[in-house]
Amino acid sequence: MVVTDPDILAGYRHDRALDPHAGMPAALIRPLTTEQVATVVAWAHERRVPLVPRGAGTGLSGGATAQDGALLLSTERMRAITVDPVTRTAVTQPGLLNAEVKRAAAEHGLWYPPDPSSFEICSIGGNAATNAGGLCCVKYGVTTDYILGMEVVLADGTVARLGGPRLKDSAGLSLTKLFVGSEGTLGIITELTLRLLPAQPQQSTVVATFSTLTSATAAIEAVTARLRPSMLEFMDAVAINAVEDEMRMGLDRGAAAMLVARSDAPGEYRTQEAAIIAAACESAGATEVFSTEDPDEGEAFCAARRFAIPAVERKGPLLLEDVGVPLPRLGDLVTGIAEIAERRAVLISVIAHAGDGNTHPLIVHNPADPDETARAHQAFGEIMDLAIALGGTITGEHGVGRLKKAWLPDQVGPEVMELTRRIKDALDPHGILNPGAVL
Amino acid sequence: MVVTDPDILAGYRHDRALDPHAGMPAALIRPLTTEQVATVVAWAHERRVPLVPRGAGTGLSGGATAQDGALLLSTERMRAITVDPVTRTAVTQPGLLNAEVKRAAAEHGLWYPPDPSSFEICSIGGNAATNAGGLCCVKYGVTTDYILGMEVVLADGTVARLGGPRLKDSAGLSLTKLFVGSEGTLGIITELTLRLLPAQPQQSTVVATFSTLTSATAAIEAVTARLRPSMLEFMDAVAINAVEDEMRMGLDRGAAAMLVARSDAPGEYRTQEAAIIAAACESAGATEVFSTEDPDEGEAFCAARRFAIPAVERKGPLLLEDVGVPLPRLGDLVTGIAEIAERRAVLISVIAHAGDGNTHPLIVHNPADPDETARAHQAFGEIMDLAIALGGTITGEHGVGRLKKAWLPDQVGPEVMELTRRIKDALDPHGILNPGAVL
């Protein structure tokens, strides 16, 4: 369970944020049971040893970056799951991957909706710790909407059970919801009770291209004003071309933006919804609109969208942003990002969960070029400043971690920081849980 | 703004729990603005004066019961609302009634789903404070699922803004969610940002009657295993007969139970869903199944269900319960309640938001008969004990208030009580906010 081999430890120092300031942990612990987690946390609490929890290490904000002398507590071996088709719930340990939860649910004809792009490699515990989102959220909500209960090990090693397999429960404070998205700063999630839905119906897919960013963002508003698509994704010209370079799908290389939208309305109504989406895109000025009922063809376009990040990454390492704004400000955000890219002379590609107003600007830079790297980091901060100025958030679904914490006070204000600090101090008085993250 | 007239104060001492132990408040405050709320709370904080917040006073758990010497802070005059159809959000003050929020949304073709049976008389602030539910929750979730942000006055008078009109936001702790359902113990909600949906499609209605409770609960599981109805309500024989006494609708007086289910699936698929629901009831052993596409006829059956509480109340004052269990235990709960009724020799009628496993046992008693009243209160406690033993909750949607707090530790355990106490102490160190409620 305890690993101190420096070669193995080295592989656990970073998550996908690849923070160059990651420390050297004292040891890695890979427990199998809640009792083992409780023992480790109680030990760390008594000795005031910092403890950094991690799931699959796919976080993009440095929430699992190792700290000098800390224990790394990886939940990767906690992989049990049971699905109850009658209550439509699953009870799972945190180390299971999101895709594995989906598969376990599917064996019973059920569906766990949240679908981060990383769903094949990210853990369900990490999803809960960051309140992860995904592509389906525009219709189906985010991780917190699917967590009915959890078991959590508190800072002193106490095991607490929050909520449970009840669809409605107003008994006491909403502690389950407080721990979702707490990024390992309040406790270690050792079990989750998830709400499942009946299997998703078949989807229709609409792909629209636009010659201007303005017409694309107008189409997004026009679609969401009329209905709730099951997906509504945006790619800019850079992303379209990067994907086309790799996949040769015949995407319109001259387009300024492309939307991929889907409907999973039941029965015949799906075709009607797809037609409404197509018409909304056309009246917003789409240059081309293509609709398909064919699941494979639809899946190919979604795969193209999911592939946008690795495709753009071929141009160079990315700083991956996650800012969100209220939907009417999406146009301002996208335009403002283009201005930042020009001012800082860096390539920034924007893809977005457009229906949620949640964007992922991808800042390309060459780490061997210190000047470009500096400009990329300037742009990274300026994009967050812009999102805050537009009434938005510095993180829609990745979490604050260590990478974004300098911007959190600007977004939420001193009163909320003080409130957060009070709750943190009340629950983790010695500050051993994921120190340096969020706060 | 400040009222000390004892005649007026008398009208504010109770909520609908009609707690005989309600105290005599020092004054009633009816502020119009957040600034006024902040001034009052800061004053109370400085002088350690207890403060009991209330919305429309329709709470059923005594969360707004007056305390001796306390200030009553009523939000009834804080009634501004603005609806933004583009972001599909509403920003509302807490004093507006749920029905008024629904109407303001409907003016823009939008829908605020949560629908407590009291929706015409309960306030949206009270809904948020208790995480209220309703009939649509089986498909559409509860109040917390529709609150994107809030403004809250903390115990020392500080005004904090939590969340905002962003569909996804992972920045910092989920404080918005923590304050939903906190029953006025952590702060006073002075503004809410609500998520709205497109108008609900037309509904089909299925009514099924059963000769045994077992067949009715089997039908509930059979329906929810297949699809998500937009409503799935249960009435027992006492409720059916009480409603029929008043409304003369031709309900089956010989039935042991009746289900009212609806589908709001879009387009033609609605009829298919209604057929699936009807077939599930039939194979579970329904004695009669009636389906209608006619909105007025469907509405009449929903009105019958909503009227069940006042109809049973004609037999005598009620102790209104709110226990919930995981769905497979619903049969055990209903059977167990019948045994309690027999043992305590009191009339208990059970109605339920069946699809959620959330029941409202209605305990009829004559307050002039002290022996019967004592037995009614014994039954009230025993029903909560039963729900806890079945892995359920003492309150699905009404909150703990003062009436149920003695049972809260039995449900959640000492670890969660300690966690709750720590958060309460961190946020309200002098315990001025709604003292005696929940904790």
Side-chain angles (χ1 to χ4, degrees):
Chain A
M1 190 170 91
V2 181
V3 179
T4 52
D5 178 334
D7 289 343
I8 299 181
L9 285 185
Y12 284 82
R13 286 178 57 221
H14 298 96
D15 57 18
R16 296 236 159 180
L18 298 176
D19 187 341
H21 307 295
M24 183 49 73
L28 165 70
I29 325 269
R30 289 181 289 195
L32 289 163
T33 66
T34 300
E35 291 63 38
Q36 291 172 349
V37 175
T39 304
V40 170
V41 178
W43 184 91
H45 183 256
E46 223 166 83
R47 285 163 187 75
R48 314 285 189 257
V49 176
L51 205 150
V52 176
R54 60 185 280 140
T58 58
L60 291 158
S61 301
T65 304
Q67 306 296 293
D68 278 333
L71 296 182
L72 289 183
L73 193 151
S74 167
T75 59
E76 71 198 284
R77 292 189 176 172
M78 301 179 73
R79 293 176 42 76
I81 187 168
T82 54
V83 175
D84 179 355
V86 179
T87 52
R88 282 213 304 254
T89 54
V91 175
T92 179
Q93 284 189 305
L96 218 65
L97 302 183
N98 176 300
E100 293 171 323
V101 172
K102 283 189 199 301
R103 279 199 286 275
E107 278 173 25
H108 299 269
L110 296 171
W111 178 38
Y112 174 71
D115 58 347
S117 290
S118 57
F119 75 102
E120 312 238 30
I121 52 169
C122 61
S123 75
I124 192 73
N127 290 179
T130 54
N131 193 16
L135 283 66
C136 74
C137 306
V138 61
K139 181 164 184 177
Y140 289 99
V142 294
T143 302
T144 194
D145 300 317
Y146 294 88
I147 300 187
L148 295 174
M150 64 170 71
E151 183 187 66
V152 66
V153 174
L154 303 174
D156 63 357
T158 304
V159 180
R161 279 208 160 265
L162 312 176
R166 298 173 289 271
L167 296 176
K168 276 177 176 170
D169 192 347
S170 283
L173 295 180
S174 304
L175 298 172
T176 309
K177 297 283 188 191
L178 175 65
F179 277 81
V180 176
S182 62
E183 302 192 42
T185 62
L186 302 182
I188 316 273
I189 297 168
T190 50
E191 188 189 282
L192 291 161
T193 301
L194 304 174
R195 184 168 75 97
L196 305 174
L197 297 187
Q200 186 175 30
Q202 203 186 314
Q203 301 191 74
S204 298
T205 307
V206 178
V207 182
T209 48
F210 299 85
S211 58
T212 64
L213 290 176
T214 322
S215 53
T217 52
I220 293 160
E221 276 191 27
V223 170
T224 58
R226 282 172 182 74
L227 50 78
R228 301 172 77 196
S230 53
M231 187 175 123
L232 182 50
E233 295 288 318
F234 168 98
M235 290 164 66
D236 72 0
V238 175
I240 295 168
N241 279 283
V243 169
E244 185 61 19
D245 285 349
E246 304 290 331
M247 294 179 79
R248 313 275 171 205
M249 294 178 69
L251 303 181
D252 179 358
R253 287 182 177 275
M258 180 173 123
L259 297 182
V260 184
R262 302 187 95 176
S263 165
D264 67 354
E268 295 304 309
Y269 194 68
R270 191 177 71 240
T271 318
Q272 274 173 261
E273 271 204 355
I276 295 169
I277 294 171
C281 291
E282 268 156 21
S283 33
T287 49
E288 205 185 332
V289 179
F290 170 76
S291 299
T292 177
E293 293 288 314
D294 182 66
D296 292 339
E297 206 169 21
E299 207 40 63
F301 284 106
C302 297
R305 161 56 192 85
R306 282 211 183 81
F307 188 64
I309 296 180
V312 174
E313 204 165 18
R314 304 272 160 106
K315 299 182 184 303
L318 302 180
L319 287 176
L320 204 156
E321 257 295 356
D322 179 36
V323 292
V325 286
L327 214 48
R329 312 310 295 271
L330 189 60
D332 296 338
L333 179 67
V334 172
T335 317
I337 291 170
E339 287 165 11
I340 292 169
E342 200 179 326
R343 188 165 69 241
R344 295 298 172 194
V346 286
L347 179 65
I348 306 180
S349 173
V350 177
I351 58 174
H353 308 306
D356 294 321
N358 178 205
T359 69
H360 294 310
L362 311 171
I363 310 172
V364 184
H365 68 291
N366 175 5
D369 178 341
D371 183 64
E372 187 177 87
T373 302
R375 285 182 278 114
H377 281 93
Q378 280 173 315
F380 185 75
E382 285 168 354
I383 290 172
M384 283 191 274
D385 295 338
L386 173 62
I388 294 168
L390 293 170
T393 177
I394 58 173
T395 172
E397 55 182 14
H398 294 170
V400 172
R402 292 172 176 81
L403 212 56
K404 298 196 152 195
K405 70 173 172 171
W407 285 267
L408 184 61
D410 287 346
Q411 178 183 331
V412 303
E415 299 83 7
V416 172
M417 291 307 293
E418 164 68 15
L419 197 51
T420 304
R421 170 51 66 194
R422 284 193 189 196
I423 290 173
K424 169 71 173 173
D425 289 347
L427 268 54
D428 179 19
H430 305 305
I432 65 160
L433 292 175
N434 214 5
V438 186
L439 277 165
Chain B
M1 188 171 93
V2 181
V3 179
T4 52
D5 178 333
D7 289 344
I8 299 181
L9 285 185
Y12 283 82
R13 286 178 57 221
H14 297 96
D15 57 18
R16 295 238 158 177
L18 298 176
D19 187 341
H21 308 297
M24 183 50 73
L28 165 71
I29 325 269
R30 290 182 288 195
L32 290 162
T33 66
T34 299
E35 291 64 37
Q36 290 173 350
V37 175
T39 304
V40 170
V41 177
W43 184 91
H45 182 256
E46 222 166 84
R47 284 163 187 76
R48 313 286 189 257
V49 176
L51 204 150
V52 177
R54 58 184 280 140
T58 59
L60 290 158
S61 300
T65 304
Q67 307 296 293
D68 277 333
L71 296 182
L72 289 183
L73 193 150
S74 167
T75 59
E76 71 198 284
R77 292 188 175 174
M78 300 179 73
R79 294 176 43 75
I81 187 169
T82 53
V83 175
D84 178 356
V86 179
T87 53
R88 283 212 303 254
T89 54
V91 175
T92 179
Q93 283 189 305
L96 219 66
L97 302 182
N98 176 300
E100 293 172 323
V101 172
K102 283 189 198 301
R103 280 199 285 275
E107 279 174 25
H108 298 268
L110 296 171
W111 177 38
Y112 175 71
D115 58 347
S117 290
S118 57
F119 75 102
E120 310 238 30
I121 52 170
C122 63
S123 75
I124 192 74
N127 290 178
T130 54
N131 194 15
L135 282 66
C136 75
C137 307
V138 62
K139 181 164 183 177
Y140 290 99
V142 294
T143 302
T144 194
D145 299 317
Y146 294 88
I147 300 187
L148 294 175
M150 64 171 70
E151 182 188 65
V152 65
V153 174
L154 303 174
D156 63 356
T158 303
V159 180
R161 278 209 160 265
L162 312 176
R166 298 173 288 271
L167 296 176
K168 277 177 176 170
D169 192 347
S170 284
L173 295 180
S174 303
L175 298 172
T176 309
K177 297 281 187 191
L178 175 65
F179 277 80
V180 176
S182 62
E183 302 192 42
T185 62
L186 302 183
I188 317 274
I189 298 169
T190 49
E191 188 189 281
L192 291 161
T193 301
L194 304 173
R195 185 168 75 96
L196 304 174
L197 297 187
Q200 186 175 30
Q202 204 185 315
Q203 301 191 75
S204 297
T205 307
V206 179
V207 183
T209 49
F210 299 85
S211 58
T212 64
L213 291 175
T214 322
S215 53
T217 51
I220 293 161
E221 277 191 27
V223 170
T224 58
R226 282 172 182 74
L227 50 79
R228 302 172 77 195
S230 53
M231 188 175 122
L232 182 50
E233 294 288 317
F234 169 98
M235 290 163 67
D236 72 359
V238 175
I240 294 168
N241 279 283
V243 169
E244 185 61 19
D245 285 349
E246 304 290 331
M247 293 180 79
R248 312 275 171 206
M249 293 178 69
L251 302 182
D252 179 359
R253 286 181 176 278
M258 180 173 123
L259 296 181
V260 184
R262 303 186 95 175
S263 164
D264 67 354
E268 295 304 309
Y269 193 68
R270 190 177 71 239
T271 318
Q272 273 172 261
E273 272 204 355
I276 295 170
I277 294 170
C281 291
E282 269 156 21
S283 35
T287 50
E288 205 183 331
V289 179
F290 170 76
S291 299
T292 177
E293 294 287 315
D294 182 66
D296 293 338
E297 206 168 22
E299 207 39 62
F301 283 105
C302 298
R305 161 58 192 86
R306 282 210 183 82
F307 189 63
I309 296 180
V312 174
E313 205 165 16
R314 305 273 159 103
K315 299 182 185 301
L318 302 179
L319 287 177
L320 205 155
E321 256 296 355
D322 179 37
V323 292
V325 287
L327 214 49
R329 313 311 296 271
L330 188 60
D332 296 339
L333 179 67
V334 171
T335 316
I337 291 170
E339 287 165 12
I340 291 169
E342 200 180 325
R343 190 165 66 242
R344 296 298 173 194
V346 285
L347 178 64
I348 306 180
S349 173
V350 177
I351 58 174
H353 307 307
D356 294 322
N358 179 205
T359 70
H360 295 310
L362 311 171
I363 311 171
V364 184
H365 67 291
N366 175 6
D369 178 342
D371 184 63
E372 187 176 86
T373 302
R375 285 183 279 113
H377 281 94
Q378 279 173 316
F380 185 76
E382 285 168 355
I383 290 172
M384 282 191 274
D385 294 339
L386 174 62
I388 293 168
L390 293 171
T393 177
I394 58 172
T395 173
E397 54 182 13
H398 295 169
V400 173
R402 291 172 176 81
L403 212 56
K404 298 196 153 194
K405 70 174 172 170
W407 284 267
L408 185 61
D410 287 346
Q411 178 183 330
V412 302
E415 298 83 7
V416 172
M417 291 306 293
E418 164 67 15
L419 198 51
T420 305
R421 169 53 66 194
R422 284 193 191 195
I423 291 173
K424 169 71 173 172
D425 289 347
L427 268 54
D428 179 19
H430 306 305
I432 64 160
L433 291 176
N434 214 4
V438 186
L439 277 166

